[in-house]
Amino acid sequence: MSQTIATPREIEQAIRNVPDFPKPGIQFKDITPVLADPRLFAGAIDLLTEKFKPGMVDAVVGIDARGFIFAAAAAVKLRAGFVPVRKKGKLPYQTIEQDYALEYGSATVAMHMDALQPGARVLLIDDLLATGGTAAAAAALVKKLGANILEAGFLIELKFLNGREKLKGFPMRSIVVY
Ligand code: AMP
């Protein structure tokens, strides 16, 4: 089937650094140039799904909001379902929720209570791993439903924020590391 058609280096070169967005001191990693380039977008999905073939994954869980883009494309490629983890208050049906700490205060993510079957084989995907709070909360939701995370995949990892520490015990993949 399809081969990896872009390198992590090429993807890195397309990621745009936007200083002081959304607030002073944050350097925002803008992935829209990667999405806009057909070869890089497909290459990013190939790299994120490299370990798996159709039939090996039941569901790809994507994290609100940019994670949806990569997770949905990965789900189609792997012939798996797509499950959204959203910010609290957005999902229409009954949910399970998980709080996590932010620099100031806390946030809550949610998943539909029937989104995953017990024992489901799950790939968890987001665009970027920073402190790891969001991904760890999403992983906790997957575990609450009794599903198994085969791998947590990120297009970008900000290594200096030690997000990996919060995902200990889960196999992890990141394509571009800063
Ligand atoms: P964290 O919970 O700290 O790992 O934050 C991860 C979430 O925040 C991801 O869903 C990212 O999309 C977003 N995020 C955090 N830092 C950045 C950044 N520097 N650039 C772009 N997105 C970011």
Side-chain angles (χ1 to χ4, degrees), residues 35-167:
L35 301 176
D37 182 312
R39 195 174 63 86
L40 296 183
F41 186 21
I45 300 304
D46 287 346
L47 288 164
L48 283 167
T49 58
E50 205 168 44
K51 246 181 92 178
F52 305 99
K53 288 188 165 42
M56 294 171 75
V57 174
D58 298 306
V60 183
V61 172
I63 301 178
D64 203 343
R66 286 177 299 278
F68 293 168
I69 302 163
F70 296 98
V76 171
K77 185 178 176 205
L78 294 174
R79 297 289 183 266
F82 166 76
V83 171
V85 167
R86 297 212 65 184
K87 283 155 195 147
K88 181 186 161 101
K90 299 284 189 186
L91 288 168
Y93 185 58
Q94 289 173 53
T95 57
I96 55 166
E97 297 181 352
Q98 179 69 46
D99 297 330
Y100 62 100
L102 296 175
E103 195 179 354
Y104 303 103
S106 71
T108 306
V109 286
M111 185 189 275
H112 276 151
M113 45 100 62
D114 60 353
L116 296 167
Q117 298 300 313
R121 298 161 301 170
V122 167
L123 187 56
L124 178 68
I125 291 188
D126 201 0
D127 68 323
L128 185 145
L129 180 72
T131 66
T134 315
L141 291 176
V142 172
K143 297 221 82 175
K144 270 186 201 173
L145 292 183
N148 299 319
I149 296 177
L150 302 181
E151 189 174 82
F154 304 90
L155 188 70
I156 302 167
E157 176 181 358
L158 304 183
K159 207 167 180 201
F160 54 92
L161 293 174
N162 293 320
R164 249 169 211 274
E165 285 290 305
K166 292 213 180 74
L167 291 173

